[in-house]
Amino acid sequence: MHHPAQRDHRDQRAKRRGRALVCAAAVPVMLVVAGCSSDSGSGDTAADATATATAGTGTAPSASASPTVQAAAYAKLPGPCAVLSKGTLTDLVPKGVKSGKEGASDDTASRGSCSWTSLDNNGVKGSQFRWLNVSLLRFDSSATRGEGDKLAEQYYAKQVSEAQSVEGAKNTKSQPVAGAGDQATLVRYDLKKKEGAFRQQTVVARVENVVVTLDYNGAGLAGEKTPSADDLTKAAEKAVKEAVAAVSTVNGDGGSGTGSGSGTAGKSASPSPSASKQASKSPSKSASASPSSSSSASPKTSAAKKS
């Protein structure tokens, strides 16, 4: 039999062990609670930081806006067989004023051409031959290809280069032409064929987003005298200026032919092309521009074709 003093001693030790176990079990619970509180606080802090960083912007972060291009200045073309007056045609193709033949086009607002043929037949004394062709190509602005006027510049340079590198050409000369749009170059050369000696004049002009290419050649056949290259040059320059003015007129520029007129009718841009470029120009060169995707141009100049 145990004495009361021993029982009391055992009861006290048992109580101490129980309190120790309770305290030991409570420690991990407190740690877990403390850990959860810490994680929650970190999340709130990150959210607060994000809110602070975007405060005042007015919008949530988004993808950058798509680039835009300046609208093409000219929206249409004149009828290709109507760009030259009767008087001009009489000078260039005296026997072919009414011979104008319009080339096929699947989009007359973007491309067109017309050709005239003149043969002044003097029988055994020979004949004077003239051939004239006017081609028009308009470029639209495109987000993928660029601004219409820039696309027209590229095509203009290509046309000039091709005229300067015709196979078999002799005495090739190039010169700028004033008063014919924004850019104009005349290329002339001689070409010997079995029919006779031909003198070729090619004038390429650009006004805004439109390129005008004028081909004019002449020859003395069956012993007739070869025409003067200077006379043909003057006639070709006069004609291309008239064609460029027709493009400007149909688009509301009053026939200035300079590409900087104040008219607005027919244009897809704002009242002044230069003002519009300053107001809304973004990363571009027209370009389809294409003239409705027309990098394939009007009839290509070739010596064989002009004969």
Side-chain angles (χ1 to χ4, degrees), residues 121-278:
N121 193 339
N122 295 312
V124 295
K125 295 182 179 180
S127 303
Q128 283 292 333
F129 174 80
R130 300 289 186 274
W131 183 80
L132 171 66
N133 186 82
V134 177
S135 297
L136 309 170
L137 189 64
R138 186 183 66 84
F139 291 84
D140 279 326
S141 295
S142 164
T144 55
R145 300 181 62 215
E147 295 180 1
D149 60 339
K150 298 301 182 184
L151 295 170
E153 282 184 23
Q154 295 170 13
Y155 181 68
Y156 164 85
K158 179 182 177 182
Q159 287 289 86
V160 172
S161 178
E162 288 183 355
Q164 293 170 332
S165 56
V166 171
E167 185 177 357
K170 303 291 184 183
N171 305 317
T172 301
K173 296 180 181 179
S174 301
Q175 61 191 62
V177 179
D182 299 301
Q183 297 173 279
T185 300
L186 179 141
V187 181
R188 74 186 205 183
Y189 54 84
D190 298 335
L191 199 62
K192 186 71 174 180
K193 298 185 180 182
K194 62 180 180 179
E195 297 90 349
F198 286 76
R199 296 198 188 281
Q200 170 71 30
Q201 318 288 313
T202 296
V203 192
V204 186
R206 180 187 70 83
V207 55
E208 293 288 358
N209 56 308
V210 176
V211 176
V212 177
T213 303
L214 184 143
D215 292 302
Y216 181 50
N217 65 39
L221 306 179
E224 181 63 282
K225 183 179 179 181
T226 301
S228 164
D230 289 341
D231 289 345
L232 295 180
T233 293
K234 291 178 182 178
E237 289 182 342
K238 175 186 176 182
V240 81
K241 290 176 184 178
E242 197 168 304
V244 167
V247 174
S248 297
T249 298
V250 79
N251 283 282
D253 267 0
S256 66
T258 62
S260 59
S262 59
T264 60
K267 290 187 180 184
S268 59
S270 50
S272 167
S274 58
S276 291
K277 290 177 181 177
Q278 293 175 356

